[in-house]
Amino acid sequence: MDWTFLQETFVSLVSAVPLTLLLAANSIAFGAILAVGIAVARFSATAPLRWLAQAYVFVFRGTPLLVQIFIIYYGLSQFPAIRHSLLWPVLREPYWCAVLALALNTAAYASEIVRGGLLSVPFGQVEAARACGMSRFMIFRRITLPLGVRQALPGYGNEMISMVKATSLASIITLMEVTGVAARIISESYRAIEVFVVAGAIYLTINFLLTRLAQLVEFRLSPHLRQPVAVLAAIIEGEAH
């Protein structure tokens, strides 16, 4: 190992971290909004809407993300209607094509996580809310959605980590995020092991911090799992005696 080369590689790769984080953050944010909509559509009484949501999940979960990126970046430009539409200034940019592909992909997986969280809400709490005179929308906003999000958070944390790692595929459409910069350094130095060790360490650090953040949010949203200070002090005092 050449430590000087490792240090220079680390500096070069760290400069690409903001783009990686921006890709992941935008993809997760847009994907989360779409995932909630798809999950709600899965419960819809309108059959075509429910079938459309099921077909979306089936297609995007059943095809590779790499293929989806290629179709969006290279495929959409083949249609003259898209090239002359108002969306073309966005769709011709590699960054937004990558965000679109990542968001559409994560929405399919996250919608199933959200749907599972919504299904785990105790029916008794919904019945109690109805007995209090709450409307269906208020029940969803104040009971079902908060409890469902809390239940889905552990699984969704894993999906966010997967999205951070999936940003590495954006390098195939010329985006110079961490993996793209790593590939460029390897093409110049032919030292793949050192470069990928540093890149792997950077991804590991990002995902470690993301995991701790997800655990913190889960802790804050689960007050019933936290013992009151007085009870905890009594337990410690009892053990001392």
Side-chain angles (χ1 to χ4, degrees):
M1 290 287 183
D2 186 344
W3 295 105
T4 301
F5 177 74
L6 287 177
Q7 183 178 1
E8 294 174 352
T9 300
F10 176 78
V11 172
S12 298
L13 294 183
V14 163
S15 64
V17 168
L19 179 57
T20 296
L21 295 179
L22 195 61
L23 274 171
N26 284 331
S27 302
I28 292 171
F30 295 143
I33 297 172
L34 184 57
V36 173
I38 295 172
V40 172
R42 295 289 299 272
F43 295 105
S44 175
T46 305
L49 184 60
R50 189 171 62 253
W51 295 338
L52 182 62
Q54 292 174 349
Y56 177 92
V57 172
F58 175 76
V59 170
F60 279 91
R61 291 178 66 191
T63 55
L65 176 57
L66 183 62
V67 173
Q68 295 166 16
I69 293 175
F70 276 138
I71 290 176
I72 291 175
Y73 183 66
Y74 295 107
L76 294 181
S77 61
Q78 304 300 313
F79 298 97
I82 293 180
R83 292 199 305 269
H84 295 91
S85 68
L86 296 176
L87 297 177
W88 181 240
V90 174
L91 294 177
R92 70 182 180 186
E93 297 294 334
Y95 173 81
W96 290 112
C97 287
V99 169
L100 178 61
L102 292 170
L104 293 176
N105 183 269
T106 189
Y109 289 93
S111 67
E112 291 297 284
I113 298 173
V114 173
R115 188 171 71 93
L118 295 177
L119 289 173
S120 68
V121 176
F123 187 72
Q125 297 195 25
V126 177
E127 286 294 305
R130 288 176 180 171
C132 293
M134 291 186 181
S135 64
R136 293 182 60 182
F137 176 75
M138 183 176 292
I139 292 174
F140 177 78
R141 182 174 62 87
R142 302 187 64 178
I143 306 295
T144 306
L145 185 60
L147 292 177
V149 169
R150 188 178 67 192
Q151 294 295 106
L153 191 58
Y156 196 72
N158 292 333
E159 177 60 22
M160 289 191 293
I161 292 172
S162 298
M163 269 297 98
V164 172
K165 294 184 289 186
T167 58
S168 60
L169 294 177
S171 61
I172 63 175
I173 55 174
T174 71
L175 287 180
M176 288 293 102
E177 41 73 60
V178 172
T179 303
V181 174
R184 177 178 58 80
I185 295 175
I186 291 173
S187 66
E188 296 172 354
S189 63
Y190 300 99
R191 304 174 73 168
I193 294 179
E194 292 98 325
V195 175
F196 280 132
V197 165
V198 176
I202 291 175
Y203 280 113
L204 183 63
T205 302
I206 294 173
N207 287 328
F208 173 79
L209 296 175
L210 186 59
T211 301
R212 292 298 177 266
L213 179 61
Q215 290 177 347
L216 177 62
V217 174
E218 183 182 358
F219 179 78
R220 296 293 299 176
L221 293 178
S222 305
H224 65 287
L225 299 179
R226 305 197 298 268
Q227 293 183 341
V229 177
V231 175
L232 185 59
I235 294 176
I236 294 175
E237 185 179 353
E239 292 178 351
H241 292 296

